[in-house]
Amino acid sequence: MAGPLPLGDPAPTDGHLPSDIVIDPNVPFSAYLHIPFCTVRCGYCDFNTYTSTELRGAKQEDYASTLISEIALARRVLADAGALRPMDTVFFGGGTPTLLPAGDLARMLEAATGAFGLADGAEVTVEANPDTVTPAVARTLADAGVTRMSVGMQSAVPHVLAALDRTHRPENVRTAVAAAKDAGLAVSVDLIYGAPGESLADWEASLDAALALEPDHISAYALIIEDGTKLARQIRRGEVPTPDDDLQADMYELADARLGAGGFDWYEVSNFARTPERRSRHNLAYWRGSDWWGFGPGAHSHVAGLRWWNVKHPAAYAQRLAASESPAAGTERPDVESRTLERILLLSRIREGIAVDEVPAGNRSRVAGLIADGLVDPAAAIRGRIQLTLRGRLLADAVVRALTD
């Protein structure tokens, strides 16, 4: 397996791309807009987010204008590289994007569209907390060009929501989804399974509640304990149990069966859609290695093999842009081995899988063993592709190790 990625080099203050970067105009281009604000920090979350008491020197009401400054910088940088492309997908993530006024989100989208343009049929997604979505918010977003809302449901069971430090009421998910649908938006709901104290029956209730909403897309993520989070500290102190791997596997199998019976088909290990057209095209852009610019504090970008990431705190981010400097903190160019590992890691998780001939030649003979272990679909392998079975999805990391060690 490849070693760690290089730590990276300092980013140029003017944001320019290295002169030897060659951008393929045929590679799709996406934009990610990070909104780093949350009312409460959930115990499991290690994203770059801030509550009002943690902002110190940054104001939410100034954020849209600050991020628009980075959009202007990005346009100059990419225009200088001769590579302006319309955006195929746009994603407002966080944090809680809908903590900002819908008009601020609309203003940021208008600036990005003015800078780069939107491809025909572009997908524009806003993540939303159920408590912050009203009919007026949904209409404003739809009128601005948003096409899709991703609602953070997580669970339909109050004690599970409490274990995750989620503050929304389960019934508010229904009203948020209804508001989004009434505005003409496609709807995705996000679920998390394996929370402390969550039973298989609890998870079944959440799946049934999600299906009853009749969304277009459902994400079902296993709870992962990240170092430095409140939940990790609680587990270390013995206050809550460590997630049970066997129970999480049972929960995944239940999700696959329930969602499949409800008309959803998996297209990535943790993601299910009613039709191929309702898959998250933005996430597919990441998994397929397209180009994207990440706007906002802590956001990561990738263009033509070059990666960079912004300073993390909103105050530092704002100060850089106010000084007409790039907010990028560092850059890196992964080597061939690292890029191969990442490509296998990402493509093996999606339904289409990865071509056998993209696996290092010395590891291709291991595909037969993966088939024998029930991890890879034999018919697909005959066609030259590595596609995971249900058992393979449960053991996806083991498949990646076999193909890259």
Side-chain angles (χ1 to χ4, degrees):
M1 184 177 289
L5 294 178
L7 294 177
D9 299 315
T13 57
D14 62 0
H16 74 261
L17 302 179
S19 59
D20 62 337
I21 286 288
V22 178
I23 298 175
D24 184 345
N26 296 311
V27 172
F29 176 66
S30 295
Y32 171 76
L33 287 74
H34 186 63
I35 314 301
F37 310 119
C38 283
T39 303
V40 175
R41 184 183 300 282
C42 298
Y44 61 90
C45 180
D46 73 336
F47 295 164
N48 188 46
T49 62
Y50 301 83
T51 62
S52 59
T53 59
E54 297 170 325
L55 284 176
R56 300 188 312 276
K59 297 179 180 178
Q60 283 187 208
E61 56 265 35
D62 297 335
Y63 186 73
S65 295
T66 300
L67 188 139
I68 288 170
S69 297
E70 188 185 0
I71 291 173
L73 179 145
R75 191 189 191 287
R76 291 196 301 273
V77 168
L78 293 177
D80 287 346
L84 285 178
R85 291 163 287 173
M87 301 175 295
D88 282 89
T89 68
V90 181
F91 196 99
F92 289 84
T96 308
T98 47
L99 269 186
L100 290 183
D104 281 4
L105 301 179
R107 209 154 52 90
M108 288 184 270
L109 179 57
E110 181 182 21
T113 301
F116 306 109
L118 275 177
D120 291 341
E123 175 193 272
V124 182
T125 303
V126 171
E127 285 187 334
N129 180 298
D131 288 345
T132 61
V133 179
T134 65
V137 165
R139 283 195 301 271
T140 298
L141 294 176
D143 289 345
V146 173
T147 65
R148 184 173 180 272
M149 182 176 287
S150 180
V151 180
M153 177 179 176
Q154 315 313 353
S155 175
V157 180
H159 79 84
V160 176
L161 289 172
L164 294 170
D165 289 326
R166 300 292 293 187
T167 59
H168 71 264
R169 297 162 59 192
E171 55 267 31
N172 286 357
V173 177
R174 290 193 295 275
T175 58
V177 169
K181 287 183 177 182
D182 288 346
L185 301 177
V187 175
S188 175
V189 296
D190 289 350
L191 298 172
I192 292 178
Y193 60 90
E198 183 178 28
S199 67
L200 196 60
D202 291 331
W203 176 233
E204 186 174 21
S206 292
L207 289 168
D208 289 345
L211 287 168
L213 297 169
E214 298 185 343
D216 304 287
H217 182 280
I218 295 176
S219 297
Y221 298 108
L223 178 66
I224 298 174
I225 308 303
E226 303 286 359
D227 289 342
T229 61
K230 173 186 172 182
L231 187 55
R233 293 190 294 272
Q234 289 175 317
I235 290 173
R236 190 169 59 248
R237 293 192 297 261
E239 296 170 3
V240 297
T242 302
D244 184 314
D245 290 343
D246 291 336
L247 178 58
Q248 285 193 334
D250 291 341
M251 289 176 166
Y252 184 82
E253 290 180 331
L254 179 62
D256 186 71
R258 267 285 197 272
L259 297 180
F264 288 81
D265 204 8
W266 82 279
Y267 69 97
E268 191 274 341
V269 169
S270 300
N271 288 273
F272 302 77
R274 282 196 184 276
T275 66
E277 293 75 25
R278 291 308 190 188
R279 296 173 178 180
S280 171
R281 288 162 48 198
H282 187 83
N283 285 339
L284 282 167
Y286 293 149
W287 298 324
R288 290 171 175 163
S290 296
D291 289 347
W292 71 88
W293 192 299
F295 298 93
H300 285 236
S301 301
H302 170 263
V303 174
L306 179 72
R307 300 179 184 180
W308 66 93
W309 51 94
N310 287 346
V311 293
K312 297 186 77 170
H313 197 278
Y317 173 76
Q319 288 163 7
R320 291 276 191 97
L321 287 163
S324 299
E325 294 182 355
S326 166
T331 67
E332 67 185 10
R333 288 202 218 188
D335 59 22
V336 172
E337 188 179 8
S338 295
R339 292 199 303 272
T340 298
L341 167 62
E342 183 177 83
R343 186 165 175 81
I344 292 171
L345 174 68
L346 295 176
L347 287 181
S348 66
R349 292 178 61 89
I350 65 176
R351 190 177 191 99
E352 290 78 8
I354 186 168
V356 173
D357 61 11
E358 290 196 57
V359 173
N363 293 343
R364 293 173 196 168
S365 61
R366 298 179 183 178
V367 174
L370 295 172
I371 293 171
D373 290 339
L375 303 177
V376 167
D377 181 84
I382 291 172
R383 298 192 300 271
R385 298 200 69 82
I386 297 169
Q387 296 176 342
L388 299 179
T389 61
L390 173 58
R391 174 174 162 78
R393 282 182 269 155
L394 288 167
L395 298 170
D397 290 346
V399 174
V400 172
R401 286 195 297 272
L403 297 176
T404 57
D405 276 348

